[in-house]
Amino acid sequence: MRQELFAWWDENARDLPWRFGRTTPWGILISEVMSQQTQMSRVVQYWTNWMDVWPDAASLAKASTAEVITAWGRLGYPRRALRLQECAKVVAEQYHNELPHTYDELVALPGIGDYTASAVMSFAFGERIAVLDTNVRRVLWRTFKGEESFGGATKTEERKLANAVLPQSPKESVIWNEALIELGALICTAKNPKIDEDPWASHSRFYAAGCPHMGEKRTRPRQSFKGTNRQVRGIVLNALRALADSSPKEALPDGIDGAGSQSQHESSQSQSQRSNKDILSRPEVEKLWPDHIQLDACIASLDEDGLIEIEADGSLRLPQ
């Protein structure tokens, strides 16, 4: 089964920019955080742009919060971006800009859970450790147990199974983890598995049993979006990102531009004008969503999460 899986991986692995030794451990961590609950097709360009600007923890740690939130764009769950910057600050300050090499140290970093820590240990450092995401759990449970995987928190039985079948060779364990994630994402999917293309089709107890209970529960529950607080929060953040994207670049040091020096008054006035362009006025805010009670509740939650700042007059801006 291992040989069949590896042969399938060699033929079908997607050529993602963080694979095959083409990035740093930090780049792998960024890819794993961005990929959580987000389609891979959306992640690639965001990851590429992000790494061009902030190739390591130290550079991300120095960025402004507004820059980080803007660069996160439409990846979803923008609190991940703030936690990622918190993580960068710890790595830069406490680990000399290098990711720690142990699971316990990784999982202690801000925003880093079991899956991400395990993925970094495997894909960045080549350690033998089971990497358990929804895809891997679904593939293993269906294949070896013949039952549907219903998602939720990782169960003890799922972790025992993953550890039992993990290759003993660290090098092979890395390929095994990568291939299982890919197999679950492309072939052994939650609703419509491509049985004819599955390298383990002849071994799968789930397929042999006729795919019992498939679809009764989704591995990743479908979430309503239209009209939800999540949609409203996204609308507010997108409006602020649009302002940040359209704002002029910062002035050169000491107020010097191409024509010569500015007076202190002119420099201060220019900075004020640039700052005002990053602010969404209260009337503009109220145009974003008709239900102002829901809108205000979402604005309050964004402020509580540290994703926006509320001015005294009710206008909004990204954190500076």
Side-chain angles (χ1 to χ4, degrees):
M1 290 181 71
R2 182 163 60 246
Q3 291 173 350
E4 291 166 345
L5 179 65
F6 288 3
W8 177 86
W9 165 259
D10 288 341
E11 290 291 327
N12 297 278
R14 287 171 292 182
D15 188 23
L16 302 174
W18 50 82
R19 284 179 171 170
F20 312 118
R22 289 181 293 177
T23 191
T24 60
W26 179 254
I28 288 174
L29 182 141
I30 297 295
S31 74
E32 293 298 342
V33 173
M34 285 186 169
S35 299
Q36 292 169 19
Q37 299 180 318
T38 307
Q39 293 179 348
M40 198 65 70
S41 59
R42 297 176 58 198
V43 172
V44 172
Q45 193 58 55
Y46 278 106
W47 181 89
T48 301
N49 294 341
W50 187 283
M51 292 299 292
D52 284 344
V53 178
W54 303 305
D56 57 14
S59 56
L60 179 59
K62 294 176 183 177
S64 72
T65 305
E67 288 173 323
V68 173
I69 294 173
T70 301
W72 194 256
R74 295 178 179 269
L75 280 173
Y77 303 97
R79 277 175 291 184
R80 286 185 293 171
L82 299 186
R83 296 290 279 167
L84 198 51
Q85 188 175 38
E86 292 175 25
C87 174
K89 291 177 180 178
V90 174
V91 172
E93 295 169 5
Q94 298 184 20
Y95 294 98
H96 309 289
N97 204 31
E98 297 288 340
L99 279 181
H101 281 56
T102 69
Y103 173 88
D104 289 342
E105 288 175 307
L106 285 167
V107 82
L109 294 172
I112 305 303
D114 169 74
Y115 168 77
T116 303
S118 299
V120 170
M121 290 294 294
S122 178
F123 306 145
F125 301 138
E127 298 290 337
R128 182 184 180 273
I129 185 171
V131 179
L132 284 174
D133 74 346
T134 301
N135 289 322
V136 172
R137 292 160 58 195
R138 180 170 61 249
V139 170
L140 294 181
W141 203 252
R142 284 178 173 180
T143 301
F144 293 100
K145 296 294 184 179
E147 301 171 356
E148 180 63 292
S149 171
F150 294 136
T154 301
K155 302 175 182 62
T156 302
E157 294 83 358
E158 293 174 321
R159 194 171 296 279
K160 286 182 178 179
L161 173 60
N163 287 324
V165 298
L166 187 69
Q168 291 299 316
S169 161
K171 183 177 180 180
E172 288 191 342
S173 74
V174 174
I175 303 172
W176 175 269
N177 287 329
E178 291 178 318
L180 285 182
I181 291 173
E182 198 80 333
L183 186 62
L186 301 180
I187 303 298
C188 188
T189 56
K191 291 193 68 176
N192 299 300
K194 300 174 183 177
I195 299 176
D196 293 341
E197 301 177 32
D198 194 327
W200 281 356
S202 63
H203 306 288
S204 175
R205 294 181 176 180
F206 184 70
Y207 295 158
C211 303
H213 307 294
M214 186 174 68
E216 288 187 7
K217 291 183 180 180
R218 293 177 58 85
T219 307
R220 181 182 298 171
R222 184 183 298 276
Q223 296 178 339
S224 174
F225 181 71
K226 188 175 181 180
T228 62
N229 286 354
R230 185 182 164 204
Q231 182 187 18
V232 179
R233 282 166 56 100
I235 289 172
V236 174
L237 279 179
N238 287 337
L240 290 170
R241 288 191 192 104
L243 290 179
D245 285 337
S246 63
S247 294
K249 301 300 181 183
E250 292 182 2
L252 295 173
D254 300 323
I256 302 297
D257 61 17
S261 62
Q262 292 178 309
S263 69
Q264 184 175 359
H265 172 73
E266 288 172 333
S267 177
S268 175
Q269 187 178 42
S270 175
Q271 290 175 5
S272 176
Q273 290 171 347
R274 286 196 307 274
S275 178
N276 288 337
K277 289 184 178 180
D278 292 338
I279 294 177
L280 200 64
S281 69
R282 181 62 194 183
E284 291 172 323
V285 171
E286 292 179 350
K287 292 178 182 177
L288 295 175
W289 193 253
D291 185 341
H292 290 172
I293 294 177
Q294 184 183 20
L295 177 63
D296 286 341
C298 291
I299 289 171
S301 70
L302 287 169
D303 177 54
E304 183 177 350
D305 290 340
L307 293 167
I308 64 171
E309 292 178 355
I310 305 175
E311 302 292 321
D313 60 359
S315 58
L316 307 180
R317 70 186 306 160
L318 293 175
Q320 301 303 297

